[in-house]
Amino acid sequence: MHSELLSRQKKRKDYEAMKAADPNMYRDANNLEYGKSPNLPEKNVDNMVKELEDRQNKRDTFSRRRKFYDERDVDSINERNAHFNRKIERSFGQYTLEIKQNLERGTALPD
C-alpha cells in the first residue's frame, strides 16, 4: 500500500515535470501545432506497453472455476439456457411441479 502511494507520487511528479517542460501539452483546436504528436519519452511508452501487457497476462491467467453439480438434472443445452431455466423455475416452478412429476412418471401422456 505504501509502495503504491510512493509510486503514484513519483508518477505525479514526472507528469508535472513534463507538463511544465511542454507548454503545449494540452493544446486546443486553435493552436498552430494541432494534430502533431507530442514528444513522449521512450521510457514512458515502454512503461505503458509493459503495463498493458501485464494487464493482458493477468486477464489471461484469471479464471474462476464454476461449481458443477452431478446430481442436478440436465434440462438445458448450454449455460445461457440453464440460466434462463433457473429463472423460469423460480417464477413458475410451484405451478409446474405436478406437470413435471406426471411427465417423469409417464402418466401425463395420452394412451
Side-chain angles (χ1 to χ4, degrees):
M1 181 92 162
H2 181 69
S3 61
E4 290 177 21
L5 180 62
L6 291 176
S7 174
R8 271 190 255 137
Q9 287 176 346
K10 182 181 180 305
K11 288 178 184 177
R12 181 71 180 182
K13 286 179 185 177
D14 292 345
Y15 166 75
E16 293 294 336
M18 278 180 45
K19 194 164 109 174
D22 186 10
N24 292 323
M25 186 167 179
Y26 293 112
R27 48 187 171 251
D28 58 358
N30 297 325
N31 194 327
L32 294 176
E33 293 186 17
Y34 182 76
K36 290 176 65 178
S37 62
N39 296 331
L40 296 174
E42 192 68 29
K43 184 181 97 174
N44 290 0
V45 175
D46 292 340
N47 286 343
M48 183 187 71
V49 169
K50 181 180 174 290
E51 181 179 339
L52 290 174
E53 288 173 350
D54 289 345
R55 285 183 186 181
Q56 183 64 40
N57 290 339
K58 195 170 217 178
R59 212 176 305 128
D60 290 343
T61 59
F62 176 78
S63 67
R64 186 179 67 166
R65 190 80 177 141
R66 306 297 194 284
K67 292 181 181 176
F68 181 76
Y69 300 106
D70 288 330
E71 65 273 359
R72 184 184 296 163
D73 291 335
V74 177
D75 61 349
S76 59
I77 57 173
N78 56 26
E79 278 300 315
R80 185 174 179 188
N81 183 248
H83 183 70
F84 177 76
N85 290 345
R86 285 192 298 269
K87 286 171 60 174
I88 293 296
E89 182 64 30
R90 277 196 309 267
S91 300
F92 303 108
Q94 60 185 351
Y95 307 111
T96 60
L97 181 64
E98 184 180 351
I99 297 169
K100 283 184 181 179
Q101 289 172 347
N102 290 340
L103 285 171
E104 287 176 5
R105 283 193 304 262
T107 58
L109 301 175
D111 291 330

